[in-house]
Amino acid sequence: MNAHGGEHVQMRTARKEFEMSKKVTENKEEKQEKGLTKYDLKMQKRAEEKKKAEREERISMITGIVIVVALICLVASFPIRTYLTVNGTYVKVAGEKVSRVEFDYNYNLVKNDYYAQNGYYLSMFGIDLNGDLSTQMYSDTMSWKDFFEQMTIQNIVNNKALRDQAEAAGFTYDASEDYAEYREKLKEEAEAAGVTEKEYIRQSYGTYATASRIKEYIIQGMEINAFSEKISEEKAPSAEEIQAYYEENADSYDSVDYRLTIVNAELPTEPTELADPVEESDSTEGTEGETTDTEEAYQPSEAEIAHAMELAYAEAEEALKSISTEGELRENALKTGVASQLQSWLFSAERKAGDTTIVENTTSNLYYVVEFVNRYRDETPSADARIVIVDADAAVGADAILDEWKTGAATEESFAETADKYNNSDISPEGGLYEGLINDGLPEALADWLYDSARKTGDTAAISGADGEASYVVYYLGAGDPRWSLNIESILLQKTMNAYMDVITEGYEVEDAKGNLNYLKIQAALEAAESAAAESGEEDTDAAESSEESSWSAAE
């Protein structure tokens, strides 16, 4: 069709539409001139109601379709979101992505290990590791959640650095057997907990953890542990280094024997003639002449305390005359186990047998009457043993466990298997192996058996505990190094390994593009405050308190 033909068609169409519009208008005008009947009004109302119903139905249908589509999209997004969480980047360490699964796995390892070592102290201070850790404060600036996240990142950094070192050194370790044992133990623990293995893994290692997802991290951890043990063996201090360290710090490792009598000052429990004058405001009467319901213990005046201390000193002088015969003998005491007021005197290089003194303790209002007996280095060897710890309410007793072992191969290896079978894997070492046991702090019956002079390698026993206490099944391995040597070896090795880790982790930067780690924000804020204080030339002591400063630092 040419352009002109098109114009003719458009003109005809327009004319027709105009005529139809005109006709409709004329009909309306005609109807208005005649007036609307009741019937017309009724029919018009019905038509309007019908249109309204149809419109509401269409809106309802459209809304329903939108809701259904939204639900379909939401459900469909579940696997997508899970995939992104599992395979996406939570943080980066040295440019390498760390998924949420890997982070959660390490977080739970760190938290559970910390709880295993410090659970008693945590509970004493009302810390609930099963509660919301973000609302429980570790320090003035960090919550426990922040603290554990910081430890988690450091653990990940250390592991990746050690893994890289192992690869560079060509170190290999076959963890297949270890992993198989781990899976078997995992099944047993899940069964004991009354949940499926899948649920047990989720509870233990994080919401997105599954056996297949965390397998890589478990095996890597086993390989890294093997490499770390190899490095520790290579860097262990020599006997010469241990001896040199001892000579520089002999006061911390020598023991002393001494005799002690404690004389307490008898402080008055009510006012004497030496009491401070009582002011009217200090009266025990309450408002309107009423007495208070509670009475505080009397606090002696300084004059009363001084008088009581004078009397106590006179008594101490008398006790000094008989200290050699009546003083309590305290043996094999390390410096840390002696009252702070006595440490410098007892461990002085000038001290000799028979020396005596009286030492004042103003905090507790008493006097120590002391006689020095001896100073020496305790060479008592430690003990190495494999031990099965049997709870008082355990289904199988210590005697039955020992009999079970005896009816089998009855070797050290089979005893280790028995220990793994009956010990709590959360707190007991593999194979029940305990090295460097010191009699201090051990249950008396167990210590007596281990340190019996007749003890020899391969000896076994079932040792019953007191009522309500655990019993023990023991396989004696032999004597170990003395306590002082073990302590120094541990200190020196820790220093060496810390220096080693500082070197190999240098440059392993942490990137948190999504802001998942709150402790990094806290550190940034503290650094900014310190920087601002430095620029202004003022010391900001609040900014100087880092998140690492806490009453828990001693427990780490």
Side-chain angles (χ1 to χ4, degrees), residues 408-462:
T411 62
E412 180 190 343
E413 183 178 0
S414 65
F415 192 95
E417 294 172 354
T418 301
D420 286 337
K421 177 180 178 180
Y422 288 104
N423 273 336
N424 183 340
S425 60
D426 291 336
I427 58 176
S428 298
E430 184 177 354
L433 177 60
Y434 291 87
E435 297 178 301
L437 290 170
I438 305 298
N439 55 1
D440 294 357
L442 288 177
E444 184 176 357
L446 178 60
D448 289 344
W449 187 86
L450 285 172
Y451 290 96
D452 189 326
S453 59
R455 193 63 51 233
K456 60 183 183 298
T457 301
D459 284 354
T460 58

